[in-house]
Amino acid sequence: GAGVSQSPRYKVAKRGQDVALRCDPISGHVSLFWYQQALGQGPEFLTYFQNEAQLDKSGLPSDRFFAERPEGSVSTLKIQRTQQEDSAVYLCASSLVSGQGTYEQYFGPGTRLTVT
Amino acid sequence: AQSVSQHNHHVILSEAASLELGCNYSYGGTVNLFWYVQYPGQHLQLLLKYFSGDPLVKGIKGFEAEFIKSKFSFNLRKPSVQWSDTAEYFCAAEGQGGKLIFGQGTELSVKP
């Protein structure tokens, strides 16, 4: 079946531009996570949704980062006034349920953002 | 705060050599642990997971990991690696709400 998809796969933005990254989770998955992966590092948690509710946004690095999932399926991560330090791969993952380790998180291919 | 550390950044092995990648986590309570793999050009995928029971867990492609609570470790092993195992390997612990806390990753290169 279809996995998690993300678009665009690559994005180049000039510093100061706004960007929007899209995640389409696996159909029926309740939980959706966003992670940021800098070059040579492991993914770092940004934010988490259960259906349309954003339950944890503790990992968002600044108020320039904003995520939404208005209908409990597709999610968008928006970055305003991009800075060079925002250059990274942004990963989305979804799972049936979260919190007990029982359900696997399925990852998308990521969006590679380069800020010039 | 919870943290995960991986001992090796880059490991180079010849085919048929044995593999052990180290992983340590900081949390002292009940913890769910994972190993993910990222093959070149592909997305992260789950190799194996531990959340209770037998501390020796088996995953896909002949990988296994042992949870040693007294050492806060969850090392990944494979008795005989293949060229196709060339990839980046990430250890992760489950945090509050199900978010994953990843280590820095270990790049494995297997020479044919």
Side-chain angles (χ1 to χ4, degrees):
Chain A
V4 178
S5 61
Q6 293 185 245
S7 60
R9 291 292 312 277
Y10 303 91
K11 177 70 180 177
V12 178
K14 289 192 188 321
R15 192 171 60 177
Q17 280 185 333
D18 298 348
V19 298
L21 313 180
R22 177 187 168 107
C23 172
D24 281 83
I26 293 172
S27 177
H29 278 195
V30 167
S31 301
L32 186 147
F33 300 81
W34 283 99
Y35 297 87
Q36 179 192 58
Q37 186 175 16
L39 192 63
Q41 301 295 317
E44 290 193 2
F45 169 79
L46 293 176
T47 186
Y48 153 59
F49 291 85
Q50 188 161 301
N51 295 307
E52 68 278 3
Q54 189 174 20
L55 298 187
D56 185 347
K57 53 182 181 179
S58 62
L60 295 176
S62 78
D63 58 7
R64 296 185 295 102
F65 286 71
F66 171 77
E68 60 182 7
R69 193 186 185 198
E71 296 177 358
S73 56
V74 171
S75 176
T76 305
L77 176 68
K78 297 179 180 178
I79 309 173
Q80 297 178 321
R81 306 181 303 282
T82 52
Q83 303 294 317
Q84 281 197 314
E85 61 263 28
D86 300 335
S87 295
V89 175
Y90 290 85
L91 297 170
C92 176
S94 71
S95 70
L96 275 171
V97 179
S98 69
Q100 297 172 20
T102 309
Y103 296 102
E104 176 181 349
Q105 286 188 30
Y106 293 84
F107 282 81
T111 294
R112 182 178 297 278
L113 172 65
T114 303
V115 181
T116 61
Chain B
Q2 260 182 308
S3 66
V4 174
S5 62
Q6 294 181 237
H7 309 150
N8 315 97
H9 287 285
H10 192 187
V11 172
I12 303 172
L13 294 173
S14 297
E15 274 194 316
S18 64
L19 170 73
E20 180 159 4
L21 301 183
C23 172
N24 286 93
Y25 61 94
S26 65
Y27 185 59
T30 302
V31 62
N32 299 318
L33 297 162
F34 307 80
W35 275 97
Y36 278 83
V37 62
Q38 187 166 28
Y39 298 103
Q42 296 188 27
H43 55 269
L44 275 168
Q45 54 187 283
L46 183 68
L47 261 184
L48 49 79
K49 63 182 178 184
Y50 169 82
F51 52 93
S52 66
D54 189 343
L56 185 63
V57 290
K58 296 193 184 299
I60 60 171
K61 305 188 181 187
F63 286 90
E64 64 179 32
E66 185 175 13
F67 170 62
I68 303 180
K69 190 173 181 179
S70 61
K71 295 185 178 180
F72 298 91
S73 70
F74 189 56
N75 292 355
L76 181 71
R77 300 196 294 245
K78 186 171 183 179
S80 176
V81 294
Q82 302 173 313
W83 177 78
S84 57
D85 294 324
T86 294
E88 188 146 22
Y89 293 81
F90 294 94
C91 181
E94 187 178 67
Q96 191 174 5
K99 64 186 176 188
L100 295 175
I101 299 154
F102 286 89
Q104 307 93 312
T106 297
E107 186 180 346
L108 172 65
S109 300
V110 180
K111 293 193 265 190

